[in-house]
Amino acid sequence: MNTSSKKMAAGMAGFASVLWLGLTAAVAANQRRLVFNPTITPEVNNPRSSGHRTRPIVLRAKDGTRLCGWLMTPRVPGPRPAVLYFGGRSEEVSWVVRDAGNLFPNMTVLALNYRGYGNSHGIPDEILLVEDGCTLFDWLAALGQVDARRIAVVGRSLGSGVAVQVAKERAAHSVVLITPYDSILAIAKRKFRAMPIEYMLRHRFESIKHAPSLKVPTYVLRAASDDIVPHSHTDQLCEKLANLILDDIVPDSDHMNIPYLDATQSRIAGFLTGRFSQPLSTPELIQTVA
């Protein structure tokens, strides 16, 4: 190789290094946008549940941040089972209100938007979202019309990572995970193979680390076609879940449409109704906090 060729090769190597460093820095600086995509516009205007009394609600996080969403209570009087719902990466949760009659019949439902989503204030952050989730669970358990021993935690996509951690920290009765993953870190490493993503990513949502601690009945629903959370990432999680009751693939579904399908909603309603109707067992009554 002559001198000019060596200089050209060195220049190309230098350019590639600068490009790699630039891309790495860009990913590190914008990781919050990669993990969270706050949606402000409501999916449903003035949502109402056909099967519940519906009211908008504003709750305060531990640091005072305003979290906005909806509380839905059954028309049947008396303490009822309850559901705490956590949405996906780009999800504004007003649609849950519209569909609550099908999804969560005869159950009290609390669905609040994450920090920075909908009308909620603040900036999304993994630690804070899990802390907020625990605060919401405690608030829901203290409601007079709720059977505190029968509160299910439901999470979709990104929200499955929140749901797993909240269910680990609180005495959840059961858990439903829609298109869940092993960890955001694992998915990011798959997408950014050439980057040291493990040293850059702050919001990791490593559900696979918490899964063995979940002793309560858990239901997993997968999309038939999912290019956001490949089945291999769900497989890894399911292998670690301590009490996986069902692992279903919803026909004709993809990552985006799965929660809206009748097949999905009837499956979730059937699972929760069935679990709530059973006598409380020791693991469901008191879940050890790991």
Side-chain angles (χ1 to χ4, degrees):
M1 183 180 293
N2 57 37
T3 302
S4 61
S5 296
K6 289 180 179 179
K7 288 182 178 180
M8 182 177 295
M12 291 296 292
F15 174 76
S17 296
V18 170
L19 180 61
W20 182 84
L21 288 171
L23 289 173
T24 300
V27 170
N30 294 285
Q31 61 172 281
R32 194 187 300 274
R33 295 182 187 176
L34 295 173
V35 177
F36 307 105
N37 183 36
T39 300
I40 307 300
T41 305
E43 186 164 337
V44 178
N45 291 314
N46 301 315
R48 308 290 298 179
S49 170
S50 60
H52 301 80
R53 296 183 179 91
T54 305
R55 66 183 176 100
I57 192 167
V58 177
L59 299 179
R60 293 281 183 177
K62 285 187 176 180
D63 63 2
T65 299
R66 288 167 52 93
L67 303 176
C68 302
W70 293 267
L71 175 69
M72 291 145 276
T73 55
R75 301 183 186 280
V76 180
R80 307 297 301 174
V83 172
L84 178 58
Y85 178 82
F86 298 106
R89 173 179 178 265
S90 304
E91 182 179 333
E92 192 280 328
V93 299
S94 57
W95 76 271
V96 176
V97 184
R98 179 197 63 199
D99 292 3
N102 295 327
L103 271 166
F104 310 121
N106 299 315
M107 306 168 201
T108 296
V109 185
L110 183 62
L112 268 70
N113 281 305
Y114 297 136
R115 293 167 180 249
Y117 288 66
N119 290 326
S120 293
H121 295 182
I123 298 172
D125 174 283
E126 179 182 1
I127 293 175
L128 292 176
L129 262 56
V130 173
E131 182 180 273
D132 293 346
C134 290
T135 298
L136 298 181
F137 188 101
D138 294 342
W139 184 89
L140 188 57
L143 282 181
Q145 65 265 45
V146 167
D147 181 350
R149 302 166 300 171
R150 290 183 169 87
I151 300 178
V153 177
V154 178
R156 173 194 176 193
S157 192
L158 175 71
S160 69
V162 182
V164 165
Q165 294 188 57
V166 171
K168 175 190 171 185
E169 297 296 332
R170 294 296 186 267
H173 175 276
S174 47
V175 176
V176 176
L177 304 175
I178 307 167
T179 60
Y181 46 82
D182 48 357
S183 74
I184 293 293
L185 175 62
I187 292 176
K189 288 174 73 173
R190 182 190 187 106
K191 184 174 182 179
F192 302 103
R193 296 180 186 272
M195 297 182 184
I197 201 73
E198 62 270 24
Y199 301 108
M200 300 156 50
L201 190 64
R202 175 185 173 191
H203 311 286
R204 299 183 173 212
F205 289 97
E206 295 182 279
S207 295
I208 194 167
K209 290 186 176 181
H210 307 290
S213 300
L214 294 185
K215 308 302 182 185
V216 298
T218 303
Y219 181 24
V220 167
L221 296 102
R222 311 181 190 217
S225 175
D226 198 330
D227 57 357
I228 305 297
V229 180
H231 284 190
S232 59
H233 287 276
T234 305
D235 292 339
Q236 295 294 320
L237 175 67
C238 288
E239 288 177 6
K240 296 294 183 180
L241 286 167
N243 194 4
L244 179 62
I245 302 297
L246 289 170
D247 179 3
D248 275 351
I249 297 176
V250 180
D252 302 317
S253 63
D254 58 38
H255 191 84
M256 302 307 295
N257 73 5
I258 185 170
Y260 309 110
L261 299 178
D262 289 341
T264 304
Q265 296 187 3
S266 63
R267 281 169 165 80
I268 293 173
F271 174 78
L272 291 176
T273 299
R275 298 310 308 183
F276 285 145
S277 67
Q278 296 184 14
L280 289 173
S281 62
T282 301
E284 292 172 340
L285 183 59
I286 302 175
Q287 180 185 352
T288 302
V289 175

